[in-house]
Amino acid sequence: MGKTSSIKGVLFDLDGTLVDTEALILASFRYATKTVLGRDIPDEELRAKIGQPLTVQMWDWADGSQEVHDKLFDTYLEHNDRIHSQLIRSFPDTTAVLGKLAAAGLPLGIVTSKRSGNARRAMESTGIEGYFDFLVAPDTFPAHKPDPAPVLHGCELFGVSPDECIYIGDSPYDLQAGRGAGCVTVAALWGMFAREELLAEHPDYAITSLSELVPIAAGK
């Protein structure tokens, strides 16, 4: 590992990387699947596609039915909205690290699979919205992770080449998208996916706390 030398921008995933939404997401999934399907689904199955847009994830349990898919989707969002403020948390070092990166003159952006309205609400709830130049979300850009296109779009918004940009995330989909775009990839090992799953994607760096990102971004 050790690929950085002239980083000119940092792109972040949101859920599980900057904000701790695991309890919120799982509670919303449990409620939606129990309410619509009448059964309990193990958490490991519910976690399996976190990192992709919600509308994609819901097809795993819809058995090909658009009606069931839409009921799952709507029920999830309604419950998520009700419990959002109770369960969303920021990770301990998020704000401090974002401040250090901004002070170093690095532009910051978010490329997320969360819909833009919910993403902005999460950012506002945790006090981090002011650090970012833009948000790329599945309802603002046509492709989604693991397709590299939204990450490439983030690089374009910065006006930098992908090899001058970091993409950090906590899911295999993040690392696949970042690698496909040609970015420096950083695995966030504190998120929702197992260390082994992330290391299997061969990230350029794997870190156990966000504070470790600062010297990587500085090229040290």
Side-chain angles (χ1 to χ4, degrees), residues 169-216:
D170 74 310
S171 84
Y173 309 110
D174 298 326
L175 300 175
Q176 291 163 16
R179 184 178 65 245
C183 292
V184 176
T185 55
V186 179
L189 299 181
W190 56 88
M192 296 180 233
F193 285 81
R195 178 188 183 94
E196 294 73 21
E197 291 180 85
L198 300 182
L199 295 183
E201 299 298 335
H202 306 291
D204 295 299
Y205 297 87
I207 60 178
T208 57
S209 73
L210 195 59
S211 59
E212 295 174 54
L213 181 65
V214 176
I216 296 171

Side-chain angles (χ1 to χ4, degrees), residues 119-142:
R120 293 192 184 282
R121 183 180 180 190
M123 293 162 69
E124 290 166 4
S125 297
T126 54
I128 63 172
E129 72 277 12
Y131 291 102
F132 296 96
D133 295 343
F134 57 80
L135 168 72
V136 179
D139 57 324
T140 66
F141 189 79

